Structure formats: C-alpha cells, structure tokens
Amino acid sequence: MNRQWKRAALLLGLALLVITVWACAKAAYTGRNQLLLISEGQETQLGLQAAQDVMKKEKESNDQIQAERVRRIGRRIAVAANKPDYKWEFHLIEKDTVNAFCLPGGKVFVYTGILELATTNDELAAIMGHEIAHALERHGGERMSMALMAQMGGQAASIALGAGSANPAVAQVFSQAYGIGTQVGFLLPHSRTQESEADEVGMILAAKAGYEPAGALTLWQKMDAYSAKKGQTPPAFLSTHPASKDRIKDIQAKMGAVRAKYFQQQLLN
Ligand SMILES: [Zn+2]
C-alpha cells in the first residue's frame, strides 16, 4: 500500500472507531441510541459563547413580574433536571416573536411574544421544559453530528477527536443547529423523533417541578391555532416546531403515564 492509501485507511478506521464509540451514547430519560461526534463539554462551551452573543443582540425585558415568573419556573425545572454542571440562567427577551430556546450549558431564553400563548404557568413550564429537554437530550449535538457527517465525512472524526469548537465548521453547524448565527441561511430542523422526545421529557420535567403536564396539551393547541391563522407568516420557531394534530395526539398518548408517574407523586410532597 502506498502512503496515501495507508493514511486513508487509517482515517477511515479512526472514523469508524469514533462513530462506534460515540454512537453508543444513550439519550437521558428515554435511552435512545444517539450518534454524537461532539463531546458534551464542547457543546457547553459553544452554548456559553452563543449565550453571550444572544445577550449582545437582544434586549432583556423590563417587565419584572414576567421576568421573575420565567426565572421561578425555570429554577424549579432546573432542580428537576438535576444537572449540576449546567450554569442555569433564565432570560426574558423583549421581542414580539414566538420563540424560546435553551442552549447547552443551561442558558434559557424566552421571548415576550411566546407569553401571549403560554399564558398559564403550566403552559410556560411546558414550553420551558420542552426547550430544556432538547438541551439535556443533546439534540443540538446530534443535529451537529449529522451535519458534520454530511458535510465533512471522515474529517468529522478528527473534529470529534478534539479539534473542537475552535474549528469554524463546528461553530457554523452549531449556529445552524440553534438558529442563532448572524448570517444563518437555514436551520437544521429537529427530527420528529427529537421533537417527540422533547415533548415527553419536557412533560416529565414540568411534572417533577410540580406543574400540571396537561399544560403541554393546551399550549400546543394554541400554537396550532396560531399557526393556522390566515395572512400570517409563521415564526421560525413554528417551522422547527410544527404544532400538528399528530403532535397533539402524541402528547395526549404520553400524558397519562407522565401524570401517573411524576405529577401525582408531586401532589403528595
Ligand atoms: Zn422542540
């Protein structure tokens, strides 16, 4: 074998090894197998950097009551999430757009526009639980891994092995995964599996935090009605979070088990 072939074979072997090792990752709560080429530490580091960018770009709301409401619900969900390495912060952003997200590392952003739909604390807990679930389940890392595999093939392995977040390609797919880049042309949408998982884990977190998980049902029903309104461009959030009848059915199907296992238990505490 000439040198080039040897190198190619070595890289391929390395890529397969890395994929095998990382593919063994299991999602928290559900135990689903995940392909993760990015370490949780790398994701957190990118999340903390991105949080600073969001804070520079966006304006914190002056509505002290609503901001405190977001913080209180967030802190209770954070206790339920039991993630000691996260540096939790809960920000209410003054912007009339339906949006909320949680970056890896625990920085949570809720936009005032979504409060018009999440009017009850149970509904706000549902949306915050859902977004926090995406971070805990490392869905961004999963989407980044898929994008890196598609864009870079075997090279993705060297990133996984530590070239890390300083690599511009990694930073770029991170922005795409979270929709926070300045010149981001498209978002990497959540898969249906991830959305359904975030709904389920979000309900578990909300219920463990003492909120009625049925808040998820009324929330997504309102989202559905909102996106069905004529003459309205649906916000980016709803294109990555379709409020479909299937989703509502899926939530309904999972609700009973979550209520019985987590919420009713809470009532005794
Ligand atoms: Zn989602």
Side-chain angles (χ1 to χ4, degrees):
M1 265 197 303
N2 67 29
R3 260 172 78 188
Q4 255 185 339
W5 274 105
K6 266 189 193 164
R7 197 166 163 263
L10 184 70
L11 274 176
L12 183 67
L14 209 57
L16 288 174
L17 177 73
V18 168
I19 289 160
T20 311
V21 170
W22 287 91
C24 288
K26 295 245 188 233
Y29 296 91
T30 61
R32 179 174 60 83
N33 280 319
Q34 292 183 297
L35 167 71
L36 288 165
L37 297 174
I38 310 282
S39 74
E40 193 164 13
Q42 286 173 326
E43 251 185 274
T44 299
Q45 199 191 333
L46 286 158
L48 296 180
Q49 281 166 14
Q52 290 179 348
D53 294 344
V54 174
M55 290 311 291
K56 270 184 222 153
K57 225 169 61 179
E58 307 287 24
K59 185 176 160 286
E60 201 114 21
S61 170
N62 289 325
D63 187 335
Q64 292 309 319
I65 302 268
Q66 291 291 1
E68 180 59 18
R69 180 179 167 228
V70 166
R71 282 194 293 271
R72 282 188 191 192
I73 293 174
R75 282 197 289 260
R76 281 168 64 170
I77 294 174
V79 170
N82 188 23
K83 191 82 176 161
D85 49 332
Y86 267 33
K87 297 183 178 74
W88 294 102
E89 276 176 26
F90 307 94
H91 298 279
L92 179 62
I93 300 300
E94 185 65 54
K95 198 179 250 183
D96 188 22
T97 175
V98 175
N99 198 12
F101 55 91
C102 172
L103 293 168
K107 310 294 184 205
V108 180
F109 298 90
V110 174
Y111 286 64
T112 48
I114 212 168
L115 298 184
E116 283 164 40
L117 298 174
T119 47
T120 69
N121 286 351
D122 294 333
E123 288 165 348
L124 186 50
I127 193 66
M128 291 178 75
H130 174 98
E131 292 306 318
I132 288 169
H134 275 311
L136 296 179
E137 299 289 32
R138 301 193 53 204
H139 290 165
E142 241 182 323
R143 279 178 299 155
M144 287 174 72
S145 303
M146 295 302 284
L148 286 170
M149 285 296 289
Q151 285 172 19
M152 309 179 74
Q155 259 190 334
S158 66
I159 289 164
L161 280 177
S165 44
N167 186 316
V170 175
Q172 198 199 339
V173 289
F174 182 86
S175 302
Q176 287 167 355
Y178 288 92
I180 47 176
T182 42
Q183 72 282 58
V184 175
F186 75 102
L187 292 176
L188 294 166
H190 291 100
S191 68
R192 280 185 67 160
T193 305
Q194 290 181 333
E195 279 305 308
S196 167
E197 190 169 68
D199 282 338
E200 182 180 0
V201 174
M203 279 195 282
I204 292 173
L205 293 172
K208 282 175 95 174
Y211 296 98
E212 165 57 77
L217 203 55
T218 53
L219 174 83
W220 288 104
Q221 282 164 344
K222 284 192 217 173
M223 293 264 198
D224 182 32
Y226 181 87
S227 50
K229 269 190 210 162
K230 284 199 178 100
Q232 186 166 256
T233 320
F237 181 85
L238 283 168
S239 69
T240 54
H241 290 82
S244 63
K245 303 277 184 273
D246 282 352
R247 162 174 232 142
I248 290 165
K249 264 192 217 147
D250 182 46
I251 290 173
Q252 255 163 342
K254 287 169 176 158
M255 181 84 63
V258 174
R259 286 196 91 239
K261 193 166 171 198
Y262 300 98
F263 184 62
Q264 286 166 6
Q265 199 61 36
Q266 269 297 323
L267 298 176
L268 301 173
N269 288 343

